[in-house]
Amino acid sequence: MQRVDVVVVGGGVMGSAAAWELARRGRDVVLLERFGAGHANGASHGASRIYRTTYGQPECLDLAQEALGLWRELESESGLDILTLTGGVSHGAPRRDDIAAAFEARGVPYEWLHPDAAAERWPGLRFEGAVLHEPSTAGRVHADRAVEAFQLVAGDHGAQVRHDAPVHSIVPVPGGVRVSSDAGEFLAERVVLAAGGWVNRFLGLELPVVVTQEQPAHFQLRAGAPGEDTWPSFTHSPSPDLLGPGRTWPAEAYGMATPGEGIKVGLHGVGVVTDPDQRTFLAEPERLAELQRYVEQWVPGVDPDDLVPVSCTYTTTPDEDFVLDRVGRVVVAAGFSGHGFKFGPAIGRVLADLAGEAPDAPVGGAGPRFALGRFAG
Ligand SMILES: Cc1cc2nc3c(=O)[nH]c(=O)nc-3n(C[C@H](O)[C@H](O)[C@H](O)COP(=O)(O)OP(=O)(O)OC[C@H]3O[C@@H](n4cnc5c(N)ncnc54)[C@H](O)[C@@H]3O)c2cc1C
């Protein structure tokens, strides 16, 4: 049995970020990932995720701002380009004055634009209501490259990164935690459990999370549409009264350019509930048709019929806030609810902090918003 300071279970963005942060703090770390490098079975694969700071909740805005600096540190340590700032726009109903107020409080530059002015500036999109423009704190993160970079630099700091190393059990024992895996047995001072949709397979956890198979798609630009490099990241909460009788959009829409692949557009959290080990990876036709209808109406710069679907999982909590907390010696990172990637390195910092707490210190995690206890009762 190998003795280590910390075993990280799960090599998606969160586990990999934790491994980086722990290793650069000088902890002896082993990262165990069930699948091969770059796999597409979880939530962290692909070439693009939105980075934005449009959060009204101060805890989230703070983490997003912290992440920006840490993404740049990761780029400089790894030599890889990860975060591209393109600017971002948010529109729809209701107008998000709470976010503008949070921006004011934190000094984040922003402007409100009339929808016609926004459409003139970004003719690939149609806008509804006042448009909140975040010019310098939004863009996209290259997801695959980010995970690769975290693991690469974690290794540079001495972490052992093991792929094809499924973990079978995590068992608290006197003085530590025993972790059994295909890569061997470990006795760890602490464990960081960052297993995405598989979180409830361990420790008898029963987190109230729902795993869904989501299906955004990459759409090709129409002839004459603005080039990929001019598109901002965008989110849109369509108001039901603009759609006509009996029509509603199920959710917020989002999108961004993925250079070389087109414009990625998705409807947030509308996927079918799935078992992450029994997925079809196939787009569900009705949901795809709904996405195409959305694109036809709101994204005139792309062809709604020229698309390649993407398959990815959400692990969603009832309030869409994350779980960042501790059960004794095990730090639990879960429930990133389809919006976690942007925060990656800041979450890694939080997880490393939690892994540094005494095992018998009161739990409560990274604050009430992220505490396991909020689901009790
Ligand atoms: C379609 C889609 C679009 C999204 N868009 C955005 C966006 O624009 N902006 C944004 O901020 N976020 C976005 N997200 C959310 C973001 O991608 C996720 O919140 C994030 O990737 C979650 O990372 P994770 O590490 O928790 O989970 P995962 O990436 O699923 O990682 C968990 C890992 O644990 C491993 N594992 C599981 N069981 C074991 C075991 N027994 N042994 C070892 N390893 C194990 C898995 O193989 C997996 O690699 C999106 C997500 C999806 C699906």
Side-chain angles (χ1 to χ4, degrees):
M1 177 140 24
Q2 192 182 331
R3 282 180 167 272
V4 291
D5 290 343
V6 187
V7 170
V8 178
V9 178
V13 64
M14 303 308 174
S16 303
W20 174 50
E21 184 61 34
L22 286 158
R24 68 184 191 147
R25 290 184 189 187
R27 309 294 297 276
D28 178 19
V29 179
V30 176
L31 170 65
L32 300 174
E33 165 52 48
R34 174 178 169 185
F35 298 109
H39 76 86
N41 300 308
S44 300
H45 55 283
S48 60
R49 293 290 186 283
I50 293 181
Y51 173 82
R52 59 183 171 82
T53 67
T54 40
Y55 284 87
Q57 310 89 335
E59 303 91 330
C60 297
L61 177 50
D62 287 348
L63 280 177
Q65 287 192 295
E66 178 184 352
L68 201 156
L70 289 172
W71 284 123
R72 294 301 185 215
E73 275 184 44
L74 180 66
E75 288 179 319
S76 99
E77 278 199 33
S78 66
L80 294 171
D81 290 333
I82 295 165
L83 172 64
T84 305
L85 293 175
T86 60
V89 287
S90 301
H91 62 112
R95 180 183 143 119
R96 295 299 302 271
D97 288 305
D98 59 322
I99 294 175
F103 280 179
E104 292 281 349
R106 298 289 193 289
V108 179
Y110 74 95
E111 60 183 339
W112 286 108
L113 297 172
H114 188 277
D116 295 342
E120 205 167 301
R121 206 184 293 188
W122 299 285
L125 292 166
R126 274 191 64 214
F127 295 92
E128 178 193 349
V131 179
L132 181 63
H133 178 215
E134 185 188 9
S136 53
T137 49
R140 65 174 172 267
V141 179
H142 195 300
D144 284 335
R145 230 181 262 156
V147 173
E148 180 193 347
F150 281 129
Q151 296 182 3
L152 193 75
V153 294
D156 290 345
H157 288 286
Q160 299 175 50
V161 176
R162 311 288 295 269
H163 287 101
D164 301 305
V167 168
H168 305 299
S169 65
I170 301 171
V171 181
V173 293
V177 185
R178 198 176 68 230
V179 178
S180 305
S181 78
D182 275 9
E185 297 267 321
F186 299 87
L187 180 61
E189 282 283 320
R190 299 285 188 279
V191 166
V192 173
L193 175 58
W198 293 267
V199 61
N200 281 338
R201 308 270 167 102
F202 297 98
L203 294 165
L205 288 173
E206 293 183 352
L207 303 187
V209 290
V210 177
V211 181
T212 52
Q213 178 171 275
E214 300 292 328
Q215 53 180 73
H218 282 109
F219 292 86
Q220 292 309 301
L221 294 173
R222 287 185 192 276
E228 287 171 351
D229 55 347
T230 66
W231 286 65
S233 62
F234 55 94
T235 59
H236 175 202
S237 303
S239 82
D241 42 308
L242 274 192
L243 299 168
R247 304 258 326 259
T248 51
W249 297 115
E252 188 160 279
Y254 64 89
M256 80 222 80
T258 309
E261 295 185 60
I263 306 300
K264 183 174 171 184
V265 187
L267 297 173
H268 174 68
V270 298
V272 287
V273 175
T274 193
D275 173 335
D277 287 322
Q278 307 291 333
R279 278 166 66 197
T280 61
F281 292 87
L282 296 174
E284 202 277 321
E286 272 182 33
R287 286 172 169 83
L288 193 59
E290 199 162 49
L291 178 62
Q292 288 179 281
R293 280 200 302 277
Y294 174 82
V295 164
E296 190 170 21
Q297 189 166 348
W298 294 101
V299 194
V302 302
D303 180 346
D305 296 317
D306 190 354
L307 64 97
V308 177
V310 172
S311 181
C312 186
T313 56
Y314 275 17
T315 303
T316 303
T317 62
D319 55 13
E320 295 200 8
D321 283 328
F322 318 140
V323 172
L324 302 171
D325 206 342
R326 202 166 45 73
V327 179
R329 293 174 182 270
V330 181
V331 174
V332 181
F336 291 96
S337 305
H339 66 119
F341 208 106
K342 65 183 73 62
F343 301 102
I347 301 285
R349 192 273 303 158
V350 169
L351 300 177
D353 287 351
L354 291 172
E357 289 181 354
D360 54 356
V363 292
R369 176 171 290 280
F370 306 116
L372 268 166
R374 74 187 192 272
F375 303 124

